[in-house]
Amino acid sequence: MAFNQQVFLRPTEKSTNETVLVDTSAQISGKSQQTGHTDHNYGKPPLIKMYKKYSGSVVFSHLKAYTQCPLPLHSTEIKKEPTAVECKFIQQVSEQNNGLTVSSHQLSEQTHDLAASSQQVSEQTHDLAASSQQVSEQTHDLAASSQQVSEQTHDLAAFSQQVSEQTHDLAASSQQVSEQTHDLAASSQQVSEQTHGLAASSQQVSEQTHGLAASKKSTNETVLVDTSTQISGESQQTVHTDHNYGKPYIKIYKKYSGSVVFSHFKAYTQCLLPLHSTEIKKEPTAVEYKFIQQVSEQNNGLAASSQQVSEQSHGLATSSQQVSEQTHDLAASSQQVSEQTHGLATSSQQVSEQTHDLAASSQQVSEQSYGLAASSQQVSEQNNGLTRLQTAIHKTANVRCLREAQKPYACLFCERAFRSRQALSAHRVTKHPEKTMLFPKRAPIPCPDCTDIQLTSQRDLVLHLAKEHNKEMCVMSRKFNSENEFKMWKSRVERETFSKFISRNVAREDFEMRKYYYCHRSGKRIVLTDRVGLRKPKKQGSCKTNAKCTAYMIARTDLKDKTVDVEYCLNHLGHDFDLAHLQISADVRKSVARQLSEGVDPDDIIEAIRNSSSKVSRDSFLTLKDIHNISKRFNIPMPTTEEKSVYTCRICNSQFKSRNGLKLHQSKKHKGMSSSSRVTNKTATDVINVDLDEPIMVAQVEASTAEDVSEDCGTGQCEFDHMGNVDGHGLQKDTADPSDMIDQLKKRTLDKLNTFRDVVAKSNDISFLENFYKIVTDVDSFAFGPKQAEG
DNA sequence: CTGGACCCTAGACCGGGTCT
DNA sequence: AGACCCGGTCTAGGGTCCAG
């Protein structure tokens, strides 16, 4: 038995009752057995791979455990079956391993419990954080309300202040008015008293006058006499000074027609002594009458003044009443404002108290959150401690075998690091199984016809469907000399199969790059949750079939020689080949953009594109809307309606007022030809840089032109324009002989073909070349006859 | 018919899982 | 460790709808 690096241990088992070491290269047969596989390739802890054999078939089970074997196992040291001592040692190692496994299991359970507790704590923390958030939001709202209330209170206080000031001003005005009213009343009282005094004096005078009149009547003579001065003959006024009291007084008399009449005594006098009839001896003189008149006028003026004072007093009283009422209203308003201010202040106070309570609650929630976070942190630390303990156990058991190389892939849950992410992933699965749920699982590819079969790759799916379900599909491969050649082939395949292969993943190595393509209709339609309902679905529906299509390509590009190896399957599954789900090709897009920039009419572009495609494709259904989209995307303005008022034939430059007229002309004069001016003006360089399909189109046009000329001119129906050119062919009138024209066209066609041969020579696309040379053959047959046609 | 707004898809890049 | 391939994210550009 030849042993290599791999050593197998056969533990005691019921079926065999013996333990053996077997070579991996050895044929496993016979009884059920279990083997242990130690891999020393990478200096890692010995790995045990468990195999079981039942009924003659070998079944590979999952990788179970690392051994705790402290001694390296070398293949050269084991030459035969283990001795009893070796078996015993192995048994001890196994028991130690089992013990460590049990400890590890217990630690795992504890870790799991702690993780569950940590999860609960995290959830509670999260809930508390949410509550805290709500409390904070409510606090914020209340603070905003409080702010509003404060602002309203402030406004009301300012208004109240204004009202108070106005009230104060009105009170002052009212006070002034009252004082003025009081003064006026006092003045009025004085005037009234004076008036009253004058009236009393007047009454006395009247009585005296009456007494005098009575005396005159009795004596028949009327005289006014001064007690001190004799008055006679004429009206006079005397001032009698009563020396008894030292005060002057005025005596007024009137005398008319020999009788003495006492006039109304209205003037104010200072007379304090009554006049004695004995003192009046005769009628008043003219001077006395004049004096009496003046006194009367003064008396009238005083009465008018008294009246005005009374009216002013009344007006002031009314104003005072109004001011009082306004003051009362303002006081009432001020009272209301004060009450509102008080209410708002109370509300503000309540809001502040609520805010304070909420802040306190928020603080409590935060503290509880903090406490829970701290608890969570403690649990995590305990968890980490246990993990580290596990690591320490592994270390002490000499399980780990550290390498000198750098290990940039560190485990998030322990202190270990790895050289590759795959190793880290394996570590996470084996050491932190409870954490693996945090990482997304790769979905396998289910078989569409089986319920329990899941494949791991596109190729397996295709092979499974072909073998198990008799589907007509296969996996093929092909090699290309360049990436450009591969892209041309891919483009042709897409065109012929009405499909599209899109790239999603690229893997780059030092010397190779792999690019994975899959059918563009494969997969699920994904609409972002925040965009659901914002747009109607497409009329033709999504291009995604919500299923896995079997068509795929894997292109492996050799970065040294640039060759491309392609593994592919062109058999689609689960969808039809609707052109509506395809997009306009990039070449056509560029071509349309260029023609738009050159000012070509969109209708002509559409016609040219449609006519240029010999096979049905998405490009064949180019619409004006597509032209609009391209013009928008490339930021090229569309020609306006005014610019399209004249329709020019791009073959013969004839102009027509309507598009229908142009179409009628083209259908009669240029049947089967494209109207694109680009066709006849293109150079070989342009063609090389733009579109390798176009030489075919141009050759077709030239051939068609030659045919038309042959037909038209052969029957003598060619038309000449006024410039001497043959309409539609650009030939001079003087050379318009049918035979000469054909020769010219033949020459031009041959020149074109020679030009395009250079272009085609750069192409490696077999189908393209086949198509081109077929046209060349046709054209050459026309130009030079069948015998001169070249293949 | 036109232009704006907006959604959907392709493509690139990166990280991860599974199997050998 | 290598091979294979899936999923998430981001950006540019194509496609669609709609109002004027």
Side-chain angles (χ1 to χ4, degrees), chain A residues 419 505 516 535 589 629 632-633:
Chain A
R419 289 201 302 147
N505 311 292
Y516 302 90
R535 183 193 160 163
R589 287 187 188 284
N629 287 333
K632 180 177 65 176
R633 186 57 57 192

PDB file of all heavy atoms in Angstrom, chain A residues 419 505 516 535 589 629 632-633, chain C residues 1 5 7 13-18:
ATOM      1  N   ARG A 419      -5.926  35.044   5.811  1.00  0.00           N
ATOM      2  CA  ARG A 419      -5.280  35.576   4.617  1.00  0.00           C
ATOM      3  C   ARG A 419      -6.265  35.775   3.480  1.00  0.00           C
ATOM      4  O   ARG A 419      -5.986  36.502   2.542  1.00  0.00           O
ATOM      5  CB  ARG A 419      -4.187  34.608   4.164  1.00  0.00           C
ATOM      6  CG  ARG A 419      -2.996  34.608   5.108  1.00  0.00           C
ATOM      7  CD  ARG A 419      -1.782  34.082   4.401  1.00  0.00           C
ATOM      8  NE  ARG A 419      -1.984  32.753   3.874  1.00  0.00           N
ATOM      9  CZ  ARG A 419      -1.418  32.307   2.766  1.00  0.00           C
ATOM     10  NH1 ARG A 419      -0.658  33.124   2.061  1.00  0.00           N
ATOM     11  NH2 ARG A 419      -1.634  31.081   2.345  1.00  0.00           N
ATOM     12  N   ASN A 505     -21.160  40.759 -14.172  1.00  0.00           N
ATOM     13  CA  ASN A 505     -20.019  40.554 -13.269  1.00  0.00           C
ATOM     14  C   ASN A 505     -18.739  40.411 -14.068  1.00  0.00           C
ATOM     15  O   ASN A 505     -18.721  39.803 -15.131  1.00  0.00           O
ATOM     16  CB  ASN A 505     -20.224  39.293 -12.426  1.00  0.00           C
ATOM     17  CG  ASN A 505     -21.576  39.275 -11.788  1.00  0.00           C
ATOM     18  OD1 ASN A 505     -21.862  40.069 -10.914  1.00  0.00           O
ATOM     19  ND2 ASN A 505     -22.427  38.381 -12.248  1.00  0.00           N
ATOM     20  N   TYR A 516     -19.129  37.729 -17.332  1.00  0.00           N
ATOM     21  CA  TYR A 516     -20.306  36.870 -17.349  1.00  0.00           C
ATOM     22  C   TYR A 516     -21.464  37.626 -17.984  1.00  0.00           C
ATOM     23  O   TYR A 516     -21.836  38.709 -17.523  1.00  0.00           O
ATOM     24  CB  TYR A 516     -20.666  36.445 -15.922  1.00  0.00           C
ATOM     25  CG  TYR A 516     -19.549  35.718 -15.216  1.00  0.00           C
ATOM     26  CD1 TYR A 516     -18.619  36.421 -14.464  1.00  0.00           C
ATOM     27  CD2 TYR A 516     -19.416  34.345 -15.323  1.00  0.00           C
ATOM     28  CE1 TYR A 516     -17.581  35.768 -13.821  1.00  0.00           C
ATOM     29  CE2 TYR A 516     -18.389  33.677 -14.686  1.00  0.00           C
ATOM     30  CZ  TYR A 516     -17.464  34.401 -13.933  1.00  0.00           C
ATOM     31  OH  TYR A 516     -16.441  33.743 -13.298  1.00  0.00           O
ATOM     32  N   ARG A 535     -44.901  55.508 -11.419  1.00  0.00           N
ATOM     33  CA  ARG A 535     -44.898  55.434 -12.859  1.00  0.00           C
ATOM     34  C   ARG A 535     -45.638  54.192 -13.312  1.00  0.00           C
ATOM     35  O   ARG A 535     -45.527  53.139 -12.697  1.00  0.00           O
ATOM     36  CB  ARG A 535     -43.453  55.368 -13.361  1.00  0.00           C
ATOM     37  CG  ARG A 535     -43.366  55.373 -14.853  1.00  0.00           C
ATOM     38  CD  ARG A 535     -41.986  55.001 -15.302  1.00  0.00           C
ATOM     39  NE  ARG A 535     -42.030  54.564 -16.686  1.00  0.00           N
ATOM     40  CZ  ARG A 535     -40.982  54.481 -17.460  1.00  0.00           C
ATOM     41  NH1 ARG A 535     -39.826  54.780 -16.997  1.00  0.00           N
ATOM     42  NH2 ARG A 535     -41.096  54.074 -18.688  1.00  0.00           N
ATOM     43  N   ARG A 589     -27.806  54.277 -32.863  1.00  0.00           N
ATOM     44  CA  ARG A 589     -27.921  55.505 -32.068  1.00  0.00           C
ATOM     45  C   ARG A 589     -26.858  56.521 -32.492  1.00  0.00           C
ATOM     46  O   ARG A 589     -27.163  57.702 -32.706  1.00  0.00           O
ATOM     47  CB  ARG A 589     -27.737  55.187 -30.581  1.00  0.00           C
ATOM     48  CG  ARG A 589     -28.890  54.486 -29.989  1.00  0.00           C
ATOM     49  CD  ARG A 589     -28.743  54.334 -28.486  1.00  0.00           C
ATOM     50  NE  ARG A 589     -29.808  53.492 -28.001  1.00  0.00           N
ATOM     51  CZ  ARG A 589     -31.052  53.888 -27.859  1.00  0.00           C
ATOM     52  NH1 ARG A 589     -31.362  55.140 -28.138  1.00  0.00           N
ATOM     53  NH2 ARG A 589     -31.991  53.068 -27.460  1.00  0.00           N
ATOM     54  N   ASN A 629     -35.866  60.916 -28.751  1.00  0.00           N
ATOM     55  CA  ASN A 629     -35.115  60.492 -27.566  1.00  0.00           C
ATOM     56  C   ASN A 629     -33.618  60.624 -27.778  1.00  0.00           C
ATOM     57  O   ASN A 629     -32.884  61.077 -26.894  1.00  0.00           O
ATOM     58  CB  ASN A 629     -35.475  59.039 -27.225  1.00  0.00           C
ATOM     59  CG  ASN A 629     -36.865  58.920 -26.642  1.00  0.00           C
ATOM     60  OD1 ASN A 629     -37.369  59.863 -26.037  1.00  0.00           O
ATOM     61  ND2 ASN A 629     -37.484  57.773 -26.841  1.00  0.00           N
ATOM     62  N   LYS A 632     -32.578  64.185 -27.739  1.00  0.00           N
ATOM     63  CA  LYS A 632     -32.533  64.706 -26.375  1.00  0.00           C
ATOM     64  C   LYS A 632     -31.299  64.188 -25.643  1.00  0.00           C
ATOM     65  O   LYS A 632     -30.613  64.939 -24.947  1.00  0.00           O
ATOM     66  CB  LYS A 632     -33.805  64.270 -25.631  1.00  0.00           C
ATOM     67  CG  LYS A 632     -33.868  64.762 -24.204  1.00  0.00           C
ATOM     68  CD  LYS A 632     -35.165  64.365 -23.547  1.00  0.00           C
ATOM     69  CE  LYS A 632     -35.269  62.859 -23.417  1.00  0.00           C
ATOM     70  NZ  LYS A 632     -36.484  62.448 -22.688  1.00  0.00           N
ATOM     71  N   ARG A 633     -31.027  62.879 -25.824  1.00  0.00           N
ATOM     72  CA  ARG A 633     -29.899  62.294 -25.101  1.00  0.00           C
ATOM     73  C   ARG A 633     -28.579  62.869 -25.553  1.00  0.00           C
ATOM     74  O   ARG A 633     -27.676  63.121 -24.766  1.00  0.00           O
ATOM     75  CB  ARG A 633     -29.929  60.773 -25.269  1.00  0.00           C
ATOM     76  CG  ARG A 633     -28.900  60.064 -24.459  1.00  0.00           C
ATOM     77  CD  ARG A 633     -29.058  60.392 -22.987  1.00  0.00           C
ATOM     78  NE  ARG A 633     -30.379  60.067 -22.490  1.00  0.00           N
ATOM     79  CZ  ARG A 633     -30.834  60.463 -21.323  1.00  0.00           C
ATOM     80  NH1 ARG A 633     -30.110  61.234 -20.558  1.00  0.00           N
ATOM     81  NH2 ARG A 633     -32.040  60.128 -20.922  1.00  0.00           N
TER      82      ARG A 633
ATOM     83  P    DA C   1      -4.613  31.267   1.833  1.00  0.00           P
ATOM     84  OP1  DA C   1      -3.279  31.866   1.870  1.00  0.00           O
ATOM     85  OP2  DA C   1      -5.793  32.069   2.220  1.00  0.00           O
ATOM     86  O5'  DA C   1      -4.881  30.703   0.356  1.00  0.00           O
ATOM     87  C5'  DA C   1      -3.927  29.789  -0.173  1.00  0.00           C
ATOM     88  C4'  DA C   1      -4.414  29.288  -1.520  1.00  0.00           C
ATOM     89  O4'  DA C   1      -5.529  28.375  -1.296  1.00  0.00           O
ATOM     90  C3'  DA C   1      -4.935  30.394  -2.450  1.00  0.00           C
ATOM     91  O3'  DA C   1      -4.450  30.149  -3.765  1.00  0.00           O
ATOM     92  C2'  DA C   1      -6.460  30.241  -2.378  1.00  0.00           C
ATOM     93  C1'  DA C   1      -6.637  28.764  -2.090  1.00  0.00           C
ATOM     94  N9   DA C   1      -7.849  28.458  -1.313  1.00  0.00           N
ATOM     95  C8   DA C   1      -8.263  29.045  -0.154  1.00  0.00           C
ATOM     96  N7   DA C   1      -9.384  28.542   0.320  1.00  0.00           N
ATOM     97  C5   DA C   1      -9.713  27.566  -0.596  1.00  0.00           C
ATOM     98  C6   DA C   1     -10.799  26.673  -0.663  1.00  0.00           C
ATOM     99  N6   DA C   1     -11.766  26.615   0.244  1.00  0.00           N
ATOM    100  N1   DA C   1     -10.839  25.810  -1.718  1.00  0.00           N
ATOM    101  C2   DA C   1      -9.855  25.866  -2.618  1.00  0.00           C
ATOM    102  N3   DA C   1      -8.793  26.657  -2.656  1.00  0.00           N
ATOM    103  C4   DA C   1      -8.787  27.493  -1.603  1.00  0.00           C
ATOM    104  P    DC C   5     -20.222  29.969 -13.374  1.00  0.00           P
ATOM    105  OP1  DC C   5     -21.134  28.980 -13.978  1.00  0.00           O
ATOM    106  OP2  DC C   5     -19.437  30.858 -14.232  1.00  0.00           O
ATOM    107  O5'  DC C   5     -21.077  30.871 -12.367  1.00  0.00           O
ATOM    108  C5'  DC C   5     -21.740  30.229 -11.299  1.00  0.00           C
ATOM    109  C4'  DC C   5     -22.257  31.273 -10.324  1.00  0.00           C
ATOM    110  O4'  DC C   5     -21.154  31.847  -9.593  1.00  0.00           O
ATOM    111  C3'  DC C   5     -22.989  32.458 -10.970  1.00  0.00           C
ATOM    112  O3'  DC C   5     -24.145  32.732 -10.223  1.00  0.00           O
ATOM    113  C2'  DC C   5     -22.001  33.601 -10.811  1.00  0.00           C
ATOM    114  C1'  DC C   5     -21.407  33.221  -9.460  1.00  0.00           C
ATOM    115  N1   DC C   5     -20.160  33.941  -9.087  1.00  0.00           N
ATOM    116  C2   DC C   5     -19.997  34.350  -7.772  1.00  0.00           C
ATOM    117  O2   DC C   5     -20.875  34.088  -6.956  1.00  0.00           O
ATOM    118  N3   DC C   5     -18.875  35.021  -7.439  1.00  0.00           N
ATOM    119  C4   DC C   5     -17.949  35.282  -8.360  1.00  0.00           C
ATOM    120  N4   DC C   5     -16.857  35.951  -7.989  1.00  0.00           N
ATOM    121  C5   DC C   5     -18.095  34.854  -9.714  1.00  0.00           C
ATOM    122  C6   DC C   5     -19.206  34.196 -10.033  1.00  0.00           C
ATOM    123  P    DG C   7     -29.147  36.367  -6.406  1.00  0.00           P
ATOM    124  OP1  DG C   7     -30.287  35.732  -5.723  1.00  0.00           O
ATOM    125  OP2  DG C   7     -29.288  36.843  -7.792  1.00  0.00           O
ATOM    126  O5'  DG C   7     -28.633  37.588  -5.528  1.00  0.00           O
ATOM    127  C5'  DG C   7     -28.246  37.340  -4.183  1.00  0.00           C
ATOM    128  C4'  DG C   7     -27.804  38.643  -3.521  1.00  0.00           C
ATOM    129  O4'  DG C   7     -26.463  38.969  -3.978  1.00  0.00           O
ATOM    130  C3'  DG C   7     -28.683  39.838  -3.854  1.00  0.00           C
ATOM    131  O3'  DG C   7     -28.913  40.590  -2.669  1.00  0.00           O
ATOM    132  C2'  DG C   7     -27.868  40.621  -4.881  1.00  0.00           C
ATOM    133  C1'  DG C   7     -26.433  40.286  -4.486  1.00  0.00           C
ATOM    134  N9   DG C   7     -25.493  40.299  -5.609  1.00  0.00           N
ATOM    135  C8   DG C   7     -25.647  39.668  -6.820  1.00  0.00           C
ATOM    136  N7   DG C   7     -24.643  39.859  -7.623  1.00  0.00           N
ATOM    137  C5   DG C   7     -23.773  40.657  -6.900  1.00  0.00           C
ATOM    138  C6   DG C   7     -22.515  41.199  -7.257  1.00  0.00           C
ATOM    139  O6   DG C   7     -21.894  41.061  -8.322  1.00  0.00           O
ATOM    140  N1   DG C   7     -21.971  41.956  -6.230  1.00  0.00           N
ATOM    141  C2   DG C   7     -22.558  42.175  -5.015  1.00  0.00           C
ATOM    142  N2   DG C   7     -21.880  42.935  -4.165  1.00  0.00           N
ATOM    143  N3   DG C   7     -23.733  41.684  -4.668  1.00  0.00           N
ATOM    144  C4   DG C   7     -24.278  40.943  -5.657  1.00  0.00           C
ATOM    145  P    DG C  13     -23.951  59.287 -20.300  1.00  0.00           P
ATOM    146  OP1  DG C  13     -22.868  59.275 -21.292  1.00  0.00           O
ATOM    147  OP2  DG C  13     -24.441  60.563 -19.747  1.00  0.00           O
ATOM    148  O5'  DG C  13     -25.191  58.511 -20.918  1.00  0.00           O
ATOM    149  C5'  DG C  13     -25.035  57.133 -21.222  1.00  0.00           C
ATOM    150  C4'  DG C  13     -26.389  56.489 -21.432  1.00  0.00           C
ATOM    151  O4'  DG C  13     -27.088  56.405 -20.166  1.00  0.00           O
ATOM    152  C3'  DG C  13     -27.328  57.243 -22.380  1.00  0.00           C
ATOM    153  O3'  DG C  13     -27.918  56.318 -23.260  1.00  0.00           O
ATOM    154  C2'  DG C  13     -28.378  57.844 -21.446  1.00  0.00           C
ATOM    155  C1'  DG C  13     -28.441  56.759 -20.382  1.00  0.00           C
ATOM    156  N9   DG C  13     -29.030  57.159 -19.108  1.00  0.00           N
ATOM    157  C8   DG C  13     -28.740  58.278 -18.363  1.00  0.00           C
ATOM    158  N7   DG C  13     -29.443  58.353 -17.268  1.00  0.00           N
ATOM    159  C5   DG C  13     -30.240  57.223 -17.290  1.00  0.00           C
ATOM    160  C6   DG C  13     -31.203  56.767 -16.369  1.00  0.00           C
ATOM    161  O6   DG C  13     -31.568  57.280 -15.302  1.00  0.00           O
ATOM    162  N1   DG C  13     -31.783  55.562 -16.771  1.00  0.00           N
ATOM    163  C2   DG C  13     -31.461  54.894 -17.925  1.00  0.00           C
ATOM    164  N2   DG C  13     -32.116  53.754 -18.155  1.00  0.00           N
ATOM    165  N3   DG C  13     -30.558  55.307 -18.804  1.00  0.00           N
ATOM    166  C4   DG C  13     -29.996  56.472 -18.424  1.00  0.00           C
ATOM    167  P    DG C  14     -28.514  56.800 -24.626  1.00  0.00           P
ATOM    168  OP1  DG C  14     -27.608  56.349 -25.694  1.00  0.00           O
ATOM    169  OP2  DG C  14     -28.887  58.214 -24.527  1.00  0.00           O
ATOM    170  O5'  DG C  14     -29.852  55.925 -24.710  1.00  0.00           O
ATOM    171  C5'  DG C  14     -29.763  54.521 -24.510  1.00  0.00           C
ATOM    172  C4'  DG C  14     -31.118  53.965 -24.092  1.00  0.00           C
ATOM    173  O4'  DG C  14     -31.419  54.426 -22.751  1.00  0.00           O
ATOM    174  C3'  DG C  14     -32.289  54.397 -24.975  1.00  0.00           C
ATOM    175  O3'  DG C  14     -33.137  53.283 -25.199  1.00  0.00           O
ATOM    176  C2'  DG C  14     -32.978  55.477 -24.151  1.00  0.00           C
ATOM    177  C1'  DG C  14     -32.703  55.010 -22.726  1.00  0.00           C
ATOM    178  N9   DG C  14     -32.680  56.066 -21.721  1.00  0.00           N
ATOM    179  C8   DG C  14     -31.881  57.183 -21.723  1.00  0.00           C
ATOM    180  N7   DG C  14     -32.075  57.955 -20.693  1.00  0.00           N
ATOM    181  C5   DG C  14     -33.067  57.310 -19.972  1.00  0.00           C
ATOM    182  C6   DG C  14     -33.698  57.675 -18.746  1.00  0.00           C
ATOM    183  O6   DG C  14     -33.498  58.670 -18.046  1.00  0.00           O
ATOM    184  N1   DG C  14     -34.642  56.738 -18.363  1.00  0.00           N
ATOM    185  C2   DG C  14     -34.945  55.599 -19.059  1.00  0.00           C
ATOM    186  N2   DG C  14     -35.890  54.819 -18.533  1.00  0.00           N
ATOM    187  N3   DG C  14     -34.372  55.246 -20.201  1.00  0.00           N
ATOM    188  C4   DG C  14     -33.448  56.147 -20.591  1.00  0.00           C
ATOM    189  P    DG C  15     -34.372  53.402 -26.121  1.00  0.00           P
ATOM    190  OP1  DG C  15     -34.517  52.117 -26.799  1.00  0.00           O
ATOM    191  OP2  DG C  15     -34.272  54.654 -26.893  1.00  0.00           O
ATOM    192  O5'  DG C  15     -35.566  53.551 -25.082  1.00  0.00           O
ATOM    193  C5'  DG C  15     -35.764  52.520 -24.109  1.00  0.00           C
ATOM    194  C4'  DG C  15     -37.028  52.780 -23.319  1.00  0.00           C
ATOM    195  O4'  DG C  15     -36.787  53.842 -22.373  1.00  0.00           O
ATOM    196  C3'  DG C  15     -38.232  53.208 -24.161  1.00  0.00           C
ATOM    197  O3'  DG C  15     -39.368  52.501 -23.711  1.00  0.00           O
ATOM    198  C2'  DG C  15     -38.346  54.711 -23.901  1.00  0.00           C
ATOM    199  C1'  DG C  15     -37.777  54.843 -22.489  1.00  0.00           C
ATOM    200  N9   DG C  15     -37.128  56.111 -22.214  1.00  0.00           N
ATOM    201  C8   DG C  15     -36.171  56.736 -22.970  1.00  0.00           C
ATOM    202  N7   DG C  15     -35.757  57.871 -22.463  1.00  0.00           N
ATOM    203  C5   DG C  15     -36.477  57.990 -21.289  1.00  0.00           C
ATOM    204  C6   DG C  15     -36.469  59.007 -20.301  1.00  0.00           C
ATOM    205  O6   DG C  15     -35.782  60.043 -20.279  1.00  0.00           O
ATOM    206  N1   DG C  15     -37.348  58.739 -19.267  1.00  0.00           N
ATOM    207  C2   DG C  15     -38.144  57.629 -19.194  1.00  0.00           C
ATOM    208  N2   DG C  15     -38.933  57.534 -18.121  1.00  0.00           N
ATOM    209  N3   DG C  15     -38.180  56.667 -20.102  1.00  0.00           N
ATOM    210  C4   DG C  15     -37.324  56.915 -21.119  1.00  0.00           C
ATOM    211  P    DT C  16     -40.725  52.620 -24.513  1.00  0.00           P
ATOM    212  OP1  DT C  16     -41.313  51.276 -24.528  1.00  0.00           O
ATOM    213  OP2  DT C  16     -40.519  53.379 -25.760  1.00  0.00           O
ATOM    214  O5'  DT C  16     -41.592  53.525 -23.523  1.00  0.00           O
ATOM    215  C5'  DT C  16     -41.734  53.129 -22.164  1.00  0.00           C
ATOM    216  C4'  DT C  16     -42.432  54.229 -21.372  1.00  0.00           C
ATOM    217  O4'  DT C  16     -41.513  55.331 -21.188  1.00  0.00           O
ATOM    218  C3'  DT C  16     -43.685  54.794 -22.057  1.00  0.00           C
ATOM    219  O3'  DT C  16     -44.800  54.555 -21.225  1.00  0.00           O
ATOM    220  C2'  DT C  16     -43.395  56.290 -22.196  1.00  0.00           C
ATOM    221  C1'  DT C  16     -42.264  56.518 -21.196  1.00  0.00           C
ATOM    222  N1   DT C  16     -41.322  57.616 -21.552  1.00  0.00           N
ATOM    223  C2   DT C  16     -41.116  58.647 -20.661  1.00  0.00           C
ATOM    224  O2   DT C  16     -41.692  58.710 -19.599  1.00  0.00           O
ATOM    225  N3   DT C  16     -40.222  59.586 -21.084  1.00  0.00           N
ATOM    226  C4   DT C  16     -39.520  59.604 -22.275  1.00  0.00           C
ATOM    227  O4   DT C  16     -38.743  60.511 -22.536  1.00  0.00           O
ATOM    228  C5   DT C  16     -39.773  58.498 -23.156  1.00  0.00           C
ATOM    229  C7   DT C  16     -39.062  58.415 -24.453  1.00  0.00           C
ATOM    230  C6   DT C  16     -40.653  57.561 -22.756  1.00  0.00           C
ATOM    231  P    DC C  17     -46.253  54.900 -21.758  1.00  0.00           P
ATOM    232  OP1  DC C  17     -47.155  53.842 -21.296  1.00  0.00           O
ATOM    233  OP2  DC C  17     -46.214  55.285 -23.191  1.00  0.00           O
ATOM    234  O5'  DC C  17     -46.568  56.222 -20.913  1.00  0.00           O
ATOM    235  C5'  DC C  17     -46.268  56.212 -19.524  1.00  0.00           C
ATOM    236  C4'  DC C  17     -46.420  57.610 -18.941  1.00  0.00           C
ATOM    237  O4'  DC C  17     -45.282  58.421 -19.334  1.00  0.00           O
ATOM    238  C3'  DC C  17     -47.678  58.349 -19.394  1.00  0.00           C
ATOM    239  O3'  DC C  17     -48.348  58.872 -18.266  1.00  0.00           O
ATOM    240  C2'  DC C  17     -47.147  59.447 -20.315  1.00  0.00           C
ATOM    241  C1'  DC C  17     -45.739  59.679 -19.780  1.00  0.00           C
ATOM    242  N1   DC C  17     -44.759  60.168 -20.782  1.00  0.00           N
ATOM    243  C2   DC C  17     -43.979  61.286 -20.510  1.00  0.00           C
ATOM    244  O2   DC C  17     -44.116  61.870 -19.438  1.00  0.00           O
ATOM    245  N3   DC C  17     -43.091  61.707 -21.441  1.00  0.00           N
ATOM    246  C4   DC C  17     -42.959  61.052 -22.592  1.00  0.00           C
ATOM    247  N4   DC C  17     -42.073  61.500 -23.477  1.00  0.00           N
ATOM    248  C5   DC C  17     -43.746  59.901 -22.888  1.00  0.00           C
ATOM    249  C6   DC C  17     -44.622  59.496 -21.968  1.00  0.00           C
ATOM    250  P    DC C  18     -49.846  59.368 -18.426  1.00  0.00           P
ATOM    251  OP1  DC C  18     -50.555  58.970 -17.192  1.00  0.00           O
ATOM    252  OP2  DC C  18     -50.376  58.970 -19.743  1.00  0.00           O
ATOM    253  O5'  DC C  18     -49.669  60.939 -18.430  1.00  0.00           O
ATOM    254  C5'  DC C  18     -48.782  61.523 -17.487  1.00  0.00           C
ATOM    255  C4'  DC C  18     -48.529  62.979 -17.819  1.00  0.00           C
ATOM    256  O4'  DC C  18     -47.465  63.080 -18.802  1.00  0.00           O
ATOM    257  C3'  DC C  18     -49.743  63.708 -18.413  1.00  0.00           C
ATOM    258  O3'  DC C  18     -49.909  64.961 -17.784  1.00  0.00           O
ATOM    259  C2'  DC C  18     -49.370  63.874 -19.886  1.00  0.00           C
ATOM    260  C1'  DC C  18     -47.855  64.018 -19.795  1.00  0.00           C
ATOM    261  N1   DC C  18     -47.124  63.679 -21.038  1.00  0.00           N
ATOM    262  C2   DC C  18     -46.046  64.461 -21.431  1.00  0.00           C
ATOM    263  O2   DC C  18     -45.709  65.420 -20.726  1.00  0.00           O
ATOM    264  N3   DC C  18     -45.384  64.159 -22.576  1.00  0.00           N
ATOM    265  C4   DC C  18     -45.782  63.107 -23.299  1.00  0.00           C
ATOM    266  N4   DC C  18     -45.100  62.835 -24.431  1.00  0.00           N
ATOM    267  C5   DC C  18     -46.869  62.282 -22.919  1.00  0.00           C
ATOM    268  C6   DC C  18     -47.514  62.605 -21.787  1.00  0.00           C
TER     269       DC C  18
END
